[in-house]
Amino acid sequence: MKETILQFGGGKFLRSFADFFVHEANKAGQEVGQVVVVQSTDSPRAQWLNVQQGKYQVLVRGLVEGGQVDEAREIASISRALVASQQWPEVLQVARSADLRWIVSNVTEAGYGLDAGDVIEAPRSFPAKLAAVLKARFDAGLPGLPILPCELIAENGERLLELVLQQAAHWKLEDKFVDWLGGQCIWPNTLVDRIVSSPPDDHPLLAADPLLAVAEPFALWAIEEFEGVDLFEHSAIKLVDDVEPYALRKVRILNGAHQALVCRALNRFATVREALADAETEAWLQQLLAAEIVPVVDARVEGASAFAQETMQRFANPFLDHKLSDIAVYHEQKIETRLMPTYREYKQHFGQEPVLLSEILKPFL
């Protein structure tokens, strides 16, 4: 198939999320195309993807309507992986392709930052890479693209456009290109929701597939609807007028609970499931959600309390070994987006400090 998606990031989340959906849509006959992965981190992942010809397996494990699901899915939507620091000309070649239809990213909260020393010939930061890719496409006389960010950042599409425009201004790029960025490229805000983790160390498929990942059955990709996005159809994709209520609910409740567990239990338990098997920790998290997190967002999202209870059930998935150490990556940045806003708003709304949040956030206050 044609290479239609340029993807910044090839970690297990995107491979079990966007790439998973593309594979299923291709199998259903939609001919979405294939994904070119751009790797910016120091990892053997790109090598593994290329050796395995873009194929890897995702274990879909969890509870659906009271029954257990535990099955392996081979995903084959990735055509190749490129290492940005070594193969940047090839990345630009993909950007200049008339077949390209979307750009997807997941660089975590830490990736949304500029590097004052970036140069367009060899960009390092993600916004600079994206600006350089889009400039190459503009110079080739090709139309703009939808950019679909999967980072858990409020108004991620708007924020990413702002960063790319700042980078373009820093590089003193021409006004026509700046107009093209805001006029022909599409920057919808999005919300992603699927718990993805590493497989058990003793899983029999791991020896043959170092890219093996585990995903829960639940998945949601909420994307603000814009004319021209022209997405493929998938049960997990939901086009919405405003992604903010979905983002607020997910980031503050589910991701906030994850980060709170890191603060509370990282030194005592290895996984989320192990932490919640401890009665004291489970009761503590229930209390945190019910007394301090849900009351802050309840008026702005639909079904906050029910979503909190569903979150606890998802955390208790008997198959999911979601490592607290994985959630702890970029912990300080995640604290700032997932817990600090709730802490501040609780104080503002109720005129006092939230007891449980204050306790775990003390090192960050």
Side-chain angles (χ1 to χ4, degrees):
M1 289 188 181
K2 295 177 180 178
E3 294 178 334
T4 56
I5 300 170
L6 182 62
Q7 177 174 296
F8 288 90
K12 58 180 173 289
F13 177 77
L14 277 183
R15 287 187 282 108
S16 304
F17 192 75
D19 303 334
F20 188 104
F21 306 155
V22 170
H23 172 82
E24 292 194 319
N26 283 335
K27 283 192 66 176
Q30 294 189 57
E31 297 186 4
V32 177
Q34 289 195 298
V35 179
V36 178
V37 168
V38 179
Q39 177 182 299
S40 298
T41 58
D42 183 16
S43 164
R45 192 179 300 123
Q47 179 184 354
W48 291 338
L49 279 167
N50 291 327
V51 167
Q52 296 177 198
Q53 298 181 312
K55 297 182 176 69
Y56 58 91
Q57 297 190 75
V58 175
L59 305 176
V60 180
R61 313 179 85 182
L63 304 175
V64 177
E65 298 180 353
Q68 290 188 355
V69 174
D70 185 8
E71 56 189 45
R73 308 266 186 92
E74 184 180 70
I75 307 303
S77 56
I78 294 175
S79 61
R80 54 186 168 135
L82 302 173
V83 178
S85 61
Q86 302 170 20
Q87 299 170 289
W88 188 244
E90 293 176 54
V91 175
L92 296 181
Q93 187 177 19
V94 178
R96 298 186 190 103
S97 169
D99 295 327
L100 195 63
R101 296 177 63 190
W102 304 283
I103 293 177
V104 175
S105 71
N106 184 37
V107 297
T108 77
E109 289 92 331
Y112 270 46
L114 299 174
D115 184 334
D118 256 323
V119 294
I120 194 169
E121 294 80 10
R124 295 187 297 258
S125 74
F126 168 56
K129 287 187 176 77
L130 185 54
V133 157
L134 292 173
K135 182 63 164 63
R137 187 170 181 85
F138 170 80
D139 289 343
L142 292 168
L145 295 167
I147 291 87
L148 303 173
C150 294
E151 296 80 19
L152 286 171
I153 295 174
E155 300 175 335
N156 52 12
E158 296 173 33
R159 176 64 179 146
L160 187 54
L161 172 58
E162 178 185 327
L163 289 169
V164 171
L165 289 174
Q166 288 178 22
Q167 187 65 65
H170 178 71
W171 285 339
K172 296 181 172 58
L173 300 180
E174 59 192 291
D175 290 343
K176 286 184 178 180
F177 171 63
V178 173
D179 293 341
W180 181 87
L181 282 175
Q184 286 206 35
C185 293
I186 304 169
W187 306 80
N189 298 320
T190 76
L191 182 279
V192 301
D193 190 357
R194 188 176 217 181
I195 298 175
V196 175
S197 70
S198 301
D201 292 338
D202 60 351
H203 196 282
L205 292 178
L206 190 57
D209 184 3
L211 296 166
L212 183 68
V214 181
E216 65 175 337
F218 178 90
L220 171 65
W221 195 1
I223 301 170
E224 287 183 351
E225 191 165 10
F226 279 81
E227 183 178 353
V229 171
D230 190 27
L231 277 171
F232 56 93
E233 294 182 2
H234 190 276
S235 59
I237 297 176
K238 186 171 186 176
L239 299 178
V240 300
D241 293 332
D242 183 7
V243 81
E244 176 56 24
Y246 297 90
L248 184 67
R249 185 179 69 175
K250 197 260 182 176
V251 172
R252 298 290 192 89
I253 295 176
L254 189 146
N255 297 108
H258 267 156
Q259 228 56 45
L261 275 178
V262 169
C263 293
R264 171 85 175 189
L266 178 61
N267 295 328
R268 294 194 294 145
F269 303 102
T271 67
V272 172
R273 180 163 52 84
E274 289 176 12
L276 293 188
D278 175 69
E280 180 185 355
T281 304
E282 194 269 346
W284 175 86
L285 188 58
Q286 287 276 18
Q287 179 68 9
L288 176 67
L289 286 167
E292 297 183 3
I293 295 180
V294 167
V296 170
V297 301
D298 193 42
R300 290 175 285 168
V301 304
E302 183 178 342
S305 181
F307 185 80
Q309 290 308 307
E310 182 182 29
T311 293
M312 293 296 292
Q313 293 176 29
R314 290 167 66 186
F315 283 6
N317 182 338
F319 297 106
L320 205 59
D321 291 317
H322 198 176
K323 295 179 180 178
L324 291 172
S325 59
D326 287 346
I327 301 170
V329 174
Y330 299 117
H331 182 53
E332 290 189 22
Q333 293 95 327
K334 291 176 180 177
I335 286 287
E336 189 57 41
T337 58
R338 301 176 180 189
L339 288 176
M340 279 298 186
T342 302
Y343 169 82
R344 298 184 186 112
E345 290 169 18
Y346 187 99
K347 287 179 63 178
Q348 180 182 354
H349 292 169
F350 300 106
Q352 60 185 16
E353 289 198 346
V355 175
L356 302 180
L357 277 175
S358 297
E359 177 186 321
I360 60 172
L361 294 178
K362 190 178 298 183
F364 307 96
L365 296 175

